[in-house]
Amino acid sequence: GCKGDINATIINFNNEKMQITWATRELFPNENVSFSYTFDEGKHKVWKPCTTYLLDQDYNSGCLFKTEGPTLAISIRNNNGSEELFCKKLKSDFYIKPNRPENVTFFWEEDRITVSCKKPERAAWCLRLELQYKSKFDKEWQSRTSKCCSVREQGFDPRKCYSFRVRLRRLAPSCNVVNYSSDWEAETFWMNGTLLDSCDDDITSQSNTIIVLSCLLAALLMMLILLILLCKWQRVQVSVLPAIPDPKYLFADLFNDHNGNIQEWLDKNDDVVLHTKLEYEEPESITEAESQQEDGKNSDKQAPLEKILTFSGAAENNDSKAAQIACLIPASNTTASFAGFHILMNDDTYVKL
């Protein structure tokens, strides 16, 4: 019989290829051992040398060969084959590692999903289909297992993106001495029954939406701040730099309707001038205007219009053109007399009647 027992890992890949590995640096330090195997039964066995070795720092640490039957015998010898270091007999069917599930399909019904795969040709009753899933808010995978080759789960939130992966598990100890499972099938991503490239797409779209809304909110806030600042600036501007009334609107009909004829304009607007005089004239101006009226009556009531109108700038220069300019743009604290009415013009107001 075989002697010794070592910790060797035995894997039968879907009953197609065998892989035997051992820890050569611990079991056979500084020695390059040889490996041989046979699937024959009975006394007349034909041992085959390993043709595909697995290496660990240039030392043989395993062998890969084709699965040829349900029973297997292996032998490990020293480098020249003179001494057997380890041997073992086993059932290859008890070490099967299944392949990944093939033709995986996802069928959605509202919040329920059914995942199926192609049924293997051999020993399907020994296999279980395992489904794992998680949303982007979950840290751990949720797992469901069912008979080969369909599993059903429910309770999925249509607003969440889920990651799915499936694999086949070999039952132990009824079918395997080791609980081997296949590698995971490629991960897929679903949201509300729709296949996505990844759940990052959903996160990216939400992030883009948040960024756009944030930018719009910031723009509206900036517009509101600018509007508030503009209103406050207008108030400050009005208080610091008050608006100066334009006299051209007050005397617009003098030039438009009367072609600059002041006497004609005064005759037509006696009531307006008198009302303006009574409304805006200060007490000092009224007293001054009354005294000047008395002096005017005593001096010469029949004086022509040119003598009645007196302008400080025009009187000094004896220039009629200057008088007209002074009428339109009066100097500071200038007093003009029109047919008994006195107009006082100062810095604060263009015209005071």
Side-chain angles (χ1 to χ4, degrees), residues 98-135:
N99 284 343
R100 293 177 179 179
E102 299 178 355
N103 301 335
V104 179
T105 59
F106 292 79
F107 178 70
W108 287 86
E109 295 176 288
E110 297 179 353
D111 68 333
R112 296 184 298 274
I113 184 174
T114 302
V115 183
S116 304
C117 70
K118 180 182 177 182
K119 187 176 182 179
E121 295 179 358
R122 295 181 68 249
W125 64 273
C126 282
L127 298 174
R128 293 294 181 267
L129 181 63
E130 182 181 6
L131 168 68
Q132 286 191 345
Y133 62 91
K134 67 177 180 178
S135 73

Side-chain angles (χ1 to χ4, degrees), residues 136 161-163 189-190 196-204:
K136 59 186 178 182
C161 179
Y162 291 90
S163 305
F189 309 92
W190 296 81
L196 302 177
D197 292 334
S198 72
C199 283
D200 294 336
D201 297 341
D202 178 51
I203 297 173
T204 303

Side-chain angles (χ1 to χ4, degrees), residues 9 96 102 119 146 161 189 244 298 320 328 347 350:
T9 302
I96 291 179
E102 299 178 355
K119 187 176 182 179
S146 184
C161 179
F189 309 92
I244 300 174
N298 294 333
S320 60
L328 297 178
D347 293 335
Y350 272 94

Side-chain angles (χ1 to χ4, degrees), residues 111-211:
D111 68 333
R112 296 184 298 274
I113 184 174
T114 302
V115 183
S116 304
C117 70
K118 180 182 177 182
K119 187 176 182 179
E121 295 179 358
R122 295 181 68 249
W125 64 273
C126 282
L127 298 174
R128 293 294 181 267
L129 181 63
E130 182 181 6
L131 168 68
Q132 286 191 345
Y133 62 91
K134 67 177 180 178
S135 73
K136 59 186 178 182
F137 304 104
D138 299 325
K139 294 182 179 179
E140 302 294 334
W141 290 94
Q142 305 295 321
S143 185
R144 294 291 181 272
T145 303
S146 184
K147 286 195 310 181
C148 184
C149 292
S150 179
V151 60
R152 186 175 182 179
E153 183 59 23
Q154 63 183 6
F156 294 101
D157 190 339
R159 297 169 297 180
K160 294 181 181 179
C161 179
Y162 291 90
S163 305
F164 291 92
R165 62 182 185 180
V166 293
R167 67 179 177 181
L168 289 172
R169 292 175 54 185
R170 179 90 171 179
L171 292 178
S174 55
C175 296
N176 261 28
V177 295
V178 183
N179 190 10
Y180 281 144
S181 299
S182 73
D183 295 333
W184 291 104
E185 180 57 30
E187 195 173 339
T188 56
F189 309 92
W190 296 81
M191 181 176 179
N192 197 20
T194 302
L195 180 64
L196 302 177
D197 292 334
S198 72
C199 283
D200 294 336
D201 297 341
D202 178 51
I203 297 173
T204 303
S205 63
Q206 289 184 358
S207 300
N208 291 337
T209 304
I210 292 173
I211 291 172

Side-chain angles (χ1 to χ4, degrees), residues 79-331:
N79 191 24
N80 57 21
S82 60
E83 180 184 359
E84 187 176 57
L85 304 175
F86 170 74
C87 67
K88 185 178 181 67
K89 294 180 180 179
L90 54 96
K91 290 287 187 181
S92 61
D93 288 349
F94 288 168
Y95 296 88
I96 291 179
K97 177 183 174 69
N99 284 343
R100 293 177 179 179
E102 299 178 355
N103 301 335
V104 179
T105 59
F106 292 79
F107 178 70
W108 287 86
E109 295 176 288
E110 297 179 353
D111 68 333
R112 296 184 298 274
I113 184 174
T114 302
V115 183
S116 304
C117 70
K118 180 182 177 182
K119 187 176 182 179
E121 295 179 358
R122 295 181 68 249
W125 64 273
C126 282
L127 298 174
R128 293 294 181 267
L129 181 63
E130 182 181 6
L131 168 68
Q132 286 191 345
Y133 62 91
K134 67 177 180 178
S135 73
K136 59 186 178 182
F137 304 104
D138 299 325
K139 294 182 179 179
E140 302 294 334
W141 290 94
Q142 305 295 321
S143 185
R144 294 291 181 272
T145 303
S146 184
K147 286 195 310 181
C148 184
C149 292
S150 179
V151 60
R152 186 175 182 179
E153 183 59 23
Q154 63 183 6
F156 294 101
D157 190 339
R159 297 169 297 180
K160 294 181 181 179
C161 179
Y162 291 90
S163 305
F164 291 92
R165 62 182 185 180
V166 293
R167 67 179 177 181
L168 289 172
R169 292 175 54 185
R170 179 90 171 179
L171 292 178
S174 55
C175 296
N176 261 28
V177 295
V178 183
N179 190 10
Y180 281 144
S181 299
S182 73
D183 295 333
W184 291 104
E185 180 57 30
E187 195 173 339
T188 56
F189 309 92
W190 296 81
M191 181 176 179
N192 197 20
T194 302
L195 180 64
L196 302 177
D197 292 334
S198 72
C199 283
D200 294 336
D201 297 341
D202 178 51
I203 297 173
T204 303
S205 63
Q206 289 184 358
S207 300
N208 291 337
T209 304
I210 292 173
I211 291 172
V212 171
L213 291 177
S214 300
C215 291
L216 289 176
L217 184 60
L220 291 175
L221 186 60
M222 287 296 296
M223 291 177 63
L224 180 61
I225 292 174
L226 290 175
L227 186 60
I228 293 173
L229 291 176
L230 181 61
C231 292
K232 289 196 172 185
W233 169 247
Q234 288 180 347
R235 290 182 181 179
V236 172
Q237 192 176 27
V238 168
S239 61
V240 176
L241 300 172
I244 300 174
D246 194 340
K248 70 179 182 179
Y249 297 107
L250 185 60
F251 301 101
D253 54 346
L254 170 63
F255 301 99
N256 295 336
D257 299 338
H258 303 285
N259 198 21
N261 191 328
I262 296 176
Q263 184 61 53
E264 183 180 337
W265 177 78
L266 289 174
D267 292 341
K268 185 175 181 180
N269 294 279
D270 281 343
D271 296 335
V272 176
V273 174
L274 181 59
H275 176 72
T276 306
K277 171 185 174 183
L278 294 176
E279 185 176 355
Y280 293 100
E281 191 173 36
E282 296 178 355
E284 297 85 340
S285 301
I286 295 173
T287 305
E288 183 182 356
E290 289 176 353
S291 61
Q292 289 180 1
Q293 284 179 4
E294 291 176 359
D295 293 341
K297 289 178 181 179
N298 294 333
S299 61
D300 190 0
K301 296 182 180 180
Q302 302 299 327
L305 181 61
E306 289 81 6
K307 293 182 180 181
I308 294 174
L309 296 176
T310 306
F311 305 98
S312 60
E316 291 176 2
N317 297 325
N318 273 334
D319 191 345
S320 60
K321 185 174 183 181
Q324 294 176 3
I325 296 174
C327 178
L328 297 178
I329 308 177

